[in-house]
């Protein structure tokens, strides 16, 4: 979801872009003929070595949906990518992190593992960038279940929502500037809005009903149904309600508001 806008922005800005995924056929269908494609697995160093050969820069867009997958993808995956890049002349290696990748938020495993991945980049000796965006507007459709927008937890903390296209512009801009290296780049949207208010706006836009679910109940349902993703989302919502969003001076501010984003998005329901 977040790698595609970056790839498209880099291509639009004149870069030769190689999309590396576990399924090149799916990637070719999604992106079209203007890109290069390679197949690799984050847990297979040799496949990564073949896929990354000849690269000038690498952008890591790893994700996860459970404590186990976050560790495998962010920490072990980053270790494997760095091992695969041994001998390559890399101008910059970058990664997507999170606006909550700070020690005070390390009780949440994705924050902790993203900080570990960041430390690996720093220790590698390669020029690096760590992008730290706030919550993406593109996640809102993921809360649609059976025609309703499922609101988990009270969600009363303000969030500076970011549009993925704006984020992609900032990634491309930073990679293009050789003076912008070896730093963390927090990326916040232009306005703060609680998850509750954002969901209400999304529901109004598409005529959806909102179904509320306490975080503890979402966790329980996820546990009984063995739905790791639901348990992870419920834990994330609880974490945001406790921690809120860190106020950071010098953060990059994007320009697209939620209302503007909603005005140009078709209704997309998760499959």
């Amino acid at each position: 979801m977040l790698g595609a806008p970056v790839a498209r922005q880099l291509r639009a800005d004149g870069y030769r872009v190689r999309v590396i995924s576990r399924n090149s056929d799916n990637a070719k269908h999604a992106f079209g003929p203007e890109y290069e494609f390679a197949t690799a697995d984050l847990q297979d160093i040799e496949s990564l070595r073949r896929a990354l050969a000849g690269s000038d820069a690498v952008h890591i867009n790893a994700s996860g949906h459970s404590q186990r997958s976050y560790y495998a993808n962010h920490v072990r995956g980053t270790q494997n990518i760095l091992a695969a890049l041994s001998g390559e002349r890399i101008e910059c290696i970058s990664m997507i992190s999170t606006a909550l990748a700070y020690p005070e938020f390390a009780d949440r495993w994705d924050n902790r593992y993203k900080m570990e991945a960041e430390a690996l980049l720093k220790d590698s000796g390669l020029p690096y960038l760590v992008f730290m965006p706030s919550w993406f507007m593109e996640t809102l459709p993921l809360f649609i279940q059976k025609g309703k927008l499922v609101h988990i937890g009270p969600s009363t903390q303000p969030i500076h929502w970011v549009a993925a296209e704006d984020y992609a512009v900032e990634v491309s801009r930073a990679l293009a500037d050789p003076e912008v290296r070896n730093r963390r780049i927090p990326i916040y949207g232009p306005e703060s809005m609680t998850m509750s208010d954002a969901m209400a706006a999304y529901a109004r836009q598409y005529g959806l009903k909102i179904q509320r679910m306490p975080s503890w109940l979402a966790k329980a349902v996820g546990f009984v149904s063995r739905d790791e993703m639901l348990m992870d989302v419920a834990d994330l919502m609880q974490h945001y309600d406790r921690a809120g969003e860190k106020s950071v001076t010098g953060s990059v501010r994007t320009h697209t508001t939620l209302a503007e984003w909603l005005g140009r998005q078709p209704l997309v329901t998760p499959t």
Side-chain angles (χ1 to χ4, degrees), residues 160-215:
H160 284 84
W161 293 82
V162 176
E165 289 183 357
D166 288 354
Y167 160 74
V169 168
E170 298 303 331
V171 171
S172 183
R173 181 178 293 154
L175 288 172
D177 188 349
E179 298 299 317
V180 181
R181 295 292 183 265
N182 303 329
R183 66 181 65 176
R184 317 176 94 205
I185 303 179
I187 301 176
Y188 288 10
E191 59 183 358
S192 65
M193 182 180 295
T194 67
M195 174 68 78
S196 297
D197 289 341
M199 282 200 166
Y202 192 89
R204 286 194 302 271
Q205 179 74 15
Y206 299 111
L208 297 171
K209 291 184 177 180
I210 296 178
Q211 177 180 331
R212 290 187 170 270
M213 180 181 292
S215 299

Side-chain angles (χ1 to χ4, degrees), residues 138-149:
E138 285 76 9
T139 61
L140 288 169
L142 301 180
F143 289 93
I144 300 175
Q145 298 292 327
K146 297 181 179 178
K148 294 181 180 179
L149 201 59

Side-chain angles (χ1 to χ4, degrees), residues 83-266:
L85 288 173
S86 177
E88 296 287 335
R89 300 183 65 178
I90 300 298
E91 296 176 11
C92 185
I93 183 168
S94 63
M95 63 172 279
I96 183 172
S97 183
T98 170
L100 293 185
Y102 293 94
E104 59 265 41
F105 304 130
D107 57 310
R108 167 76 186 167
W109 48 74
D110 60 334
N111 300 335
R112 184 165 67 251
Y113 295 150
K114 286 172 181 174
M115 286 190 290
E116 288 187 32
E118 177 183 339
L120 291 168
L121 295 192
K122 291 179 179 178
D123 292 343
S124 73
L126 297 172
Y128 72 88
L129 289 172
V130 177
F131 298 100
M132 304 170 65
S134 188
W135 208 299
F136 283 98
M137 300 173 189
E138 285 76 9
T139 61
L140 288 169
L142 301 180
F143 289 93
I144 300 175
Q145 298 292 327
K146 297 181 179 178
K148 294 181 180 179
L149 201 59
V150 180
H151 184 304
I152 300 174
S155 306
T156 57
Q157 295 278 11
I159 298 168
H160 284 84
W161 293 82
V162 176
E165 289 183 357
D166 288 354
Y167 160 74
V169 168
E170 298 303 331
V171 171
S172 183
R173 181 178 293 154
L175 288 172
D177 188 349
E179 298 299 317
V180 181
R181 295 292 183 265
N182 303 329
R183 66 181 65 176
R184 317 176 94 205
I185 303 179
I187 301 176
Y188 288 10
E191 59 183 358
S192 65
M193 182 180 295
T194 67
M195 174 68 78
S196 297
D197 289 341
M199 282 200 166
Y202 192 89
R204 286 194 302 271
Q205 179 74 15
Y206 299 111
L208 297 171
K209 291 184 177 180
I210 296 178
Q211 177 180 331
R212 290 187 170 270
M213 180 181 292
S215 299
W216 67 265
L217 179 57
K219 278 189 173 181
V221 171
F223 179 79
V224 171
S225 62
R226 298 183 180 180
D227 187 337
E228 289 184 323
M229 184 175 293
L230 178 57
M231 288 190 290
D232 181 57
V233 170
D235 185 83
L236 176 60
M237 303 301 280
Q238 283 185 323
H239 179 78
Y240 248 91
D241 277 326
R242 291 194 308 270
E245 187 179 70
K246 187 178 178 72
S247 177
V248 180
T249 58
S251 61
V252 172
R253 293 300 177 116
T254 58
H255 63 84
T256 302
T257 67
L258 183 64
E260 291 169 341
W261 179 83
L262 285 172
R264 59 178 187 247
Q265 297 298 312

